[in-house]
Amino acid sequence: MRIELEGVTLGVEDHGEGVPVVLLHGFPLSSEMWTPIRTAVEQAARLITPDLRGFGGSDKPQGDYGMETHAEDVLRLADRLGLDRFVVGGHSMGGYVALRLAAGHAERLAGLILVDTRASADTPDGKVQRAIAIERIRRGEAAAFLDEFVPNLLGQSSHKRAPKLATELRGVAAEVPDHVLAGCLAGMRDRPDSTAVLARLDVPALVLVGQEDTIAPPEVAHTMAAALPRARLALIPLAGHTPSVERPIPTAEAILAFLRESFPPPPLTIKPRRG
Ligand code: MLT
């Protein structure tokens, strides 16, 4: 479905019952990255997966693509869906957005899921690389940029085992307009450091990471899990930066186990038969 918010309309999938879980996709993907784990996670939750502005079935306006803008969209979406408190989760750029939401509106969080992401800001060299990429896109070299960038979303094992995955992700990335690519790169470059936010988030948290991730490697996940007051860490073997598409079964199992333990369903009450 499409949900109209102030100034932007987002494409959103919303299925299942139980604790509301809003999962945010990474760059330059869409909510399609959650498709392989959707049915499993919906056994334990109401799973809401928006396309962030600029991606998938959402509007792609000109203008700001900062992490705070995406976070405000997510908050407005939660308001429109009548969610008071919810679990927010994000993959990579989606994690940056989730942490900005947590920074400004911790009272809305029932839980947190961080997937192959980091709380720290870009390093000075990282900022330079973002600027170079933005410049390439402005020169009309978005396709060449994506040809280099997208393979890094997968681990070496996935490249060997399932070479078509890279082509599929490249196909999703090809749908993203140049102004959105450049806008999000600038938004990621300019995002503040969210490290100090972690210690304040006294909610159940899952930090999940592919063991072969080179963009947000397992050491980063370990550090975030140690800084969060109530976190568990899940390492997904034979996966790189995008475990939900590389190893959907162990990824779904880790998320399900976290949700079932942290948000157990109310016990079934069996009414005695009369007569
Ligand atoms: C992502 O997967 O969302 C991006 O790789 C994040 C980044 O470039 O920092």
Side-chain angles (χ1 to χ4, degrees), residues 26-27 91-93 96 130 149 153 188 215 241:
F27 171 92
H91 166 248
S92 203
M93 182 181 78
Y96 308 158
R130 301 274 196 213
F149 187 88
L153 300 177
M188 290 192 281
I215 297 178
H241 187 61

